[in-house]
Amino acid sequence: MSTALRSETAAAGRPAKPRHAGQAVLVLAVLGLLTAWAAWGVGVDLPKVFANAGNAWGNLVQLGQPDYGFIPKTFPALLETLNMAVIATALGAAVALPLSFLASRATNPNRPLLIAVRTVLNLIRSVPDILYAAVLVAVVGVGALSGIMTLFLFNIGIIAKLVSEALDGEDLGAQEAALAAGASWFKADRAAMLPQIMPTFTSQTLYTFEINIRASAVIGLVGAGGLGVLIDNVRSFFRYHELSLIILEILVMVLVLESLSAWLRKRLV
Amino acid sequence: MAPTPPAATQRPAKPGHPGRTIAWAVISLLVVAAFWSAKINWSALSDFPTETGKYLGLLFLPPDWSKLGEALSAMLLSVQMAWIGTLIGIVVSFPLGFLATAGISAGWLAWPLRGLFALIRAVPEVVIAILILSVTGLTPFTGALALGIGSIGTLGKWGYESFEAVDQGPLEAVRSAGGSRLDLMRWGIWPSVQAEVFSFWLYRFEINVRASAILGLIGAGGIGKMLQDNVQFRNWDAVGMLLIVVIVVTIVIDQLSGLLRQRIVHGRWSGNRAARRTGDPGKPEMSEPAGRMAL
């Protein structure tokens, strides 16, 4: 009798698990189809890759032996890359700070202006950096200037987005007090919001600088100055010893500067 | 003798931040040094405003829509490259992410893996693509492979970070019930991080869409290649059209992916706007400060 009771309660015990199997199968099927279609479009051909890898062994060996004698020749390009990153970050940050105030709902009471600024920033951000570089090289010519302009545009997009989002989340009490005391919006934002946002702004600018170091080593591939130009040169002459040295330099530079900037960010904020 | 009344309330001196001041001084010096040492022909900028106007006109007034079909199929190829690249990244980084998680795998395995992720993250995708290019030649597939390798770096890092941040309760429960390491991952970690993991996979796909447009510039096919060709021949109106295609497709994919992420994380399709307004779907509406009303 007691056993019967127990079995009854056990049967009534756990509610049935909701079933998602049908949904999961459907999603997986769609994803599988998409993948198959993409694989066909891209031309995934594993056997061919392995066949080529055999031919490429010599190149790999060359890549594995960086030519350290080439280091002095890379200094001008290295310096140019660093200069581009520093200048573009400084200018970009300076321009992005007022823009982020215009792009935040918390600090800009003028709706049409807010929407206009946000739209422009979204458009700027949606273009990858090298595409800017490709166009700007054609406009202002080959060299560091087009690189700086590329990174400058790119930075405005990033910094203004991050800082304006931080502004959206800030406490508006002090700003309200300033407005109530008769300050203009500009004054209220400067006195009440700017000090709150400064640590975030500094931190995001440093973060942007890290991204710039990486980007400035690359945009030269389309002629915008820096190490990328050098990469393009050695690549077109198949000098893999030198190519691997440049890549090693980029790696060291990025790791050193990123850890430095991460340390600074920890200290400043 | 009455004591002298205290002077008018004096504001205490602002505390100094010597460390901060030094940091700012050094940064300013670096910026000045960069300006000083860069060999830049700033005079080229003097007629830049007029030039900009001219080029914007050339690009977009009007864009050349005659090659739109070709551009869309090139962009499609870029997106397909991004998709395959993201998949490669997911398949490889998922197990590696678990192997780099403290508490799941041994230290001698976790730390080298973390180093590997950091190393991959330090190298830009384009450079990875160039390395692959110098080994096998560049096809859309090797472009996707480069994106895949690049994805491993970020996905692996985000993976172990989120695996380590889970609530320890379920893990402890699995351990005390005698679960194996596999059980720990499957029942202790996976249920809590599922949404987050799907969300950053999608986010990485967005990044790869942008990066795949770039890989075309060094010859991996897709929209970048078409862009490079048209810039070289100075077909500005076609370049303008291509830029519009890149911008529109990128924004559309970002929006779709954002919607999906919203659905995955918050479990519903809508509410996006409300969530953005308050920063959190659970919080009540932020009160607008007074003073916004025109008095």
Side-chain angles (χ1 to χ4, degrees):
Chain A
M1 171 164 169
S2 61
T3 47
L5 248 180
R6 236 204 318 270
S7 67
E8 258 176 52
T9 45
R14 195 187 261 193
K17 242 188 162 174
R19 291 237 169 255
H20 289 298
Q23 212 183 347
V25 167
L26 187 72
V27 169
L28 280 177
V30 169
L31 290 181
L33 279 176
L34 272 175
T35 305
W37 170 73
W40 170 80
V42 168
V44 174
D45 193 358
L46 286 172
K48 198 172 159 196
V49 169
F50 288 122
N52 277 347
N55 308 338
W57 184 245
N59 296 349
L60 269 179
V61 170
Q62 283 197 20
L63 280 171
Q65 303 164 327
D67 173 12
Y68 295 105
F70 189 62
I71 290 181
K73 287 190 184 150
T74 63
F75 281 147
L78 198 64
L79 184 68
E80 190 168 57
T81 283
L82 282 170
N83 282 338
M84 273 160 44
V86 170
I87 294 174
T89 309
L91 292 177
V95 173
L97 188 60
L99 276 180
S100 48
F101 274 83
L102 289 175
S104 163
R105 204 175 274 104
T107 52
N108 183 359
N110 182 338
R111 280 298 145 118
L113 182 64
L114 174 82
I115 290 164
V117 172
R118 281 191 167 195
T119 310
V120 169
L121 286 176
N122 282 333
L123 284 179
I124 289 180
R125 242 197 347 269
S126 65
V127 181
D129 47 2
I130 295 208
L131 296 194
Y132 282 127
V135 175
L136 281 168
V137 163
V139 176
V140 292
V142 173
L145 186 60
S146 48
I148 289 174
M149 287 163 68
T150 297
L151 293 172
F152 169 72
L153 282 169
F154 181 69
N155 294 346
I156 287 178
I158 301 177
I159 300 177
K161 174 176 197 280
L162 293 170
V163 175
S164 68
E165 278 178 356
L167 274 169
D168 282 339
E170 286 296 345
D171 178 20
L172 299 177
Q175 182 199 41
E176 197 177 335
L179 288 171
S184 64
W185 270 96
F186 176 79
K187 282 182 176 163
D189 284 345
R190 194 185 56 89
M193 301 304 279
L194 188 62
Q196 287 192 73
I197 211 70
M198 235 19 221
T200 309
F201 170 68
T202 314
S203 161
Q204 303 296 17
T205 301
L206 280 170
Y207 165 69
T208 311
F209 176 67
E210 293 169 30
I211 299 177
N212 273 228
I213 289 288
R214 244 175 309 190
S216 63
V218 168
I219 52 178
L221 290 172
V222 291
L227 277 170
V229 176
L230 207 58
I231 292 180
D232 209 36
N233 287 339
V234 299
R235 182 173 76 113
S236 41
F237 292 112
F238 306 109
R239 298 207 299 256
Y240 295 122
H241 293 299
E242 290 166 11
L243 176 66
S244 61
L245 176 84
I246 298 170
I247 289 171
L248 205 62
E249 277 187 346
I250 292 177
L251 197 67
V252 171
M253 181 176 71
V254 168
L255 289 176
V256 168
L257 285 169
E258 281 196 357
S259 43
L260 198 72
S261 138
W263 176 81
L264 254 182
R265 270 196 283 164
K266 265 207 196 90
R267 293 298 306 269
L268 279 174
V269 178
Chain B
M1 261 222 5
T4 47
T9 45
Q10 263 187 346
R11 199 183 260 197
K14 249 190 164 168
H17 294 281
R20 209 170 283 191
T21 317
I22 291 168
W24 277 114
V26 171
I27 289 174
S28 315
L29 261 179
L30 282 177
V31 172
V32 170
F35 270 101
W36 178 75
S37 72
K39 295 179 191 61
I40 293 167
N41 179 12
W42 293 104
S43 58
L45 276 179
S46 60
D47 51 2
F48 187 70
T50 48
E51 286 281 290
T52 308
K54 186 182 115 189
Y55 275 99
L56 282 176
L58 283 173
L59 285 169
F60 299 117
L61 296 175
D64 173 14
W65 296 111
S66 64
K67 291 186 196 153
L68 181 64
E70 196 189 333
L72 284 176
S73 65
M75 188 72 210
L76 192 67
L77 179 60
S78 286
V79 173
Q80 288 174 326
M81 267 162 60
W83 180 267
I84 295 289
T86 312
L87 262 178
I88 294 172
I90 289 171
V91 168
V92 178
S93 72
F94 191 63
L96 289 187
F98 277 112
L99 289 178
T101 305
I104 291 290
S105 86
W108 59 264
L109 188 60
W111 286 105
L113 273 174
R114 287 169 186 226
L116 175 73
F117 296 152
L119 204 65
I120 293 175
R121 280 201 316 278
V123 186
E125 276 88 0
V126 184
V127 174
I128 297 176
I130 285 177
L131 279 174
I132 292 180
L133 167 95
S134 53
V135 173
T136 63
L138 205 52
T139 60
F141 174 54
T142 46
L145 207 58
L147 291 177
I149 294 173
S151 305
I152 293 169
T154 45
L155 292 180
K157 176 171 191 272
W158 295 336
Y160 74 73
E161 280 180 349
S162 68
F163 298 159
E164 280 171 11
V166 294
D167 180 16
Q168 297 298 305
L171 279 172
E172 206 175 317
V174 175
R175 272 196 207 100
S176 54
S180 64
R181 280 185 186 186
L182 209 61
D183 293 327
L184 275 180
M185 295 179 218
R186 174 63 188 88
W187 304 108
I189 293 179
W190 181 238
S192 349
V193 294
Q194 208 175 348
E196 199 185 342
V197 169
F198 287 150
S199 170
F200 64 62
W201 284 351
L202 273 167
Y203 178 59
R204 181 67 216 197
F205 174 63
E206 291 171 38
I207 296 176
N208 282 343
V209 169
R210 282 184 175 72
S212 66
I214 289 171
L215 289 185
L217 291 174
I218 56 166
I223 194 98
K225 185 171 184 307
M226 197 172 163
L227 207 116
Q228 186 72 333
D229 295 345
N230 281 299
V231 167
Q232 264 165 357
F233 291 112
R234 307 211 155 226
N235 299 333
W236 292 117
D237 43 4
V239 172
M241 181 270 297
L242 287 166
L243 284 176
I244 292 174
V245 168
V246 170
I247 291 176
V248 169
V249 172
T250 310
I251 289 180
V252 165
I253 285 182
D254 280 6
Q255 292 295 333
L256 281 177
S257 157
L259 264 179
L260 262 176
R261 281 195 280 148
Q262 159 93 14
R263 169 74 181 76
I264 288 166
V265 174
H266 295 300
R268 60 169 187 279
W269 289 107
S270 60
N272 205 354
R273 218 168 263 136
R276 221 181 286 154
R277 200 164 38 236
T278 57
D280 176 347
K283 266 197 293 189
E285 195 78 50
M286 241 193 311
S287 61
E288 293 243 306
R292 303 216 166 173
M293 288 175 287
L295 288 171

